[in-house]
Amino acid sequence: MTADTHIPQKDDLWFLPLGGCGVFGANLNLYGHDGWWIMADAGTAFNEDRHLGIDMMVPDIDFIEARKDKLAAIVITHAHEDHIGALPYIWPRLRCPIFATPFAAEVIRRKCSEFDDCKDIVIKPLPTQSPITIQGFKVTAIPVAHSIVEPRALHIETSAGNVMHTGDWNMDPDPVIGHQTSKDNFGNLGKIRAVIGDSTNAPIAGRSGTESAVEPALDEIFAGAKGKIALTMFSSNIGRIEAIAKAAKKVNRHVCLIGMSLSNMVKSARACGYLNDCPAFLNAHEAKEIAGKKLVYIIAGSQGEARASLTRISKGEHHLVTLGQGDLVCYSARSIPGNEKKINEVMNSLTSRGVEILTSDEAPIHVSGHCYADDIKEFLSWVKPEILMAVHGELIHQEAHAQLALDVGVKHGMVPHNGQLWALRNDGAHLLDEVEHGYQYIEDARLLYPDHAAITERKKLGFNGALFITVQNRDVLITALGLVDDEDEDDGLMMKDLRNNLKDMIGVHKGNESQLAEKLRTSARRYIDKEIGYKPITIIHMAD
């Protein structure tokens, strides 16, 4: 048995991203020191059509699972899916304590309650501004502004140096709920070896806006609407939900929640003392009895997800909610890169039904939860790190973030990739190794590796179709999927010719049955490849 070379020593401060670099979502970062590891966040990401039938993916955790006895904890910055969504799938493989704020803990418990092997999940309190010691790490959660309640940056102190893991944040000067990102909290932390920072909006000049600007915009929109009003948004934006509720009350409309994710987020928020000033929200059954001009729907599915409520409504497939002529749908969310096509498909379906579409390009109905370029520069001037490790974004966003750091005098602006193990030292960030990494894909309640037969064969089926050939005595029955049109005369002649060729082969074959089956399989594939240029998955069934 070979010795593990990936054991951080007392003088080491290591950083290892396994997700969140080069892609939006699936954030999972590891810190190593004095023999131990801690994990910051464990999220999901949209699959972006990489594999048929797969909507979401999570980071491959084989590296840290092999060292789980040295994983001291998972520390959660906030309750967005791209930071907690992987927990039900990976926690049973790690079984270490999770530290989270009350709201994040409530969301995680509700999410994990649906998974039998997460029933005993261990979640411990993550206090604000009060350090906790986890093996050789001292971790202090510092409040920041973001598009969810209780977002936290993590000040991680070790005997080998200190880092600031920002999580997601912006510089909202007037948050609807929660705290500002304040110089008072970040300007007096002492020497910071590295900032591991949110790159999402780094290429965008200027400053992020304020969530408080959304409610006045909603007031104006609601006052002029005649039919049903629907807003789609990220389910976790509790401040936005509160603003919608207040705007609806001013025009005597009831608010109805459509989508399980929205319902669960609101339940979690109320359990933690949020939304206390909002009346009870209706469900779809209750809203059915109320005139459309008296309703405001909040609907999950702003990213065009295939099974989301808004997608089904746009196709007329929701059994309780319909939207049509004279109704208004407001997109109170940004599109995550890669989802634009799916979002446009939903918008087109709604438009075909006579629904008016309003986006944040036409009205200030959405404010990004992520920092813009000037916000980042100001933050770095407070913290004064020696190193900036740009994470949370695609490569173009990471590169922009690293350049911003160099522009304001940070000595080292770095662009890490998933799987790269970095030593954060006094003289900069040093690449030590590249470890096993990648993604696994969520299919219902199971995780599949990229080379899983279900995924590879599904891809082949999608590109090349399939032939199912049954041989009984000397007769041949062929079923073709994704290759021919049964109503097309030329296709019919082609399949008849293939059948006759196979029957002729059976008639002259002298070997055993398995040899015949393989000969038929390869011949059928070659025939289809020659005729139409595809090499289908071909399965031979030798019937008794």
Side-chain angles (χ1 to χ4, degrees), residues 80-100:
H80 274 144
E81 282 295 297
D82 60 332
H83 292 259
I84 66 166
L87 288 174
Y89 304 97
I90 70 170
W91 185 83
R93 297 164 58 184
L94 302 173
R95 304 193 71 82
C96 63
I98 298 170
F99 288 84

Side-chain angles (χ1 to χ4, degrees), residues 229-251:
I229 302 171
L231 295 99
T232 186
M233 49 174 279
F234 295 111
S235 301
S236 55
N237 195 330
I238 302 304
R240 187 77 49 82
I241 292 172
E242 183 173 293
I244 293 169
K246 289 179 179 178
K249 185 176 181 180
K250 292 171 187 173
V251 291

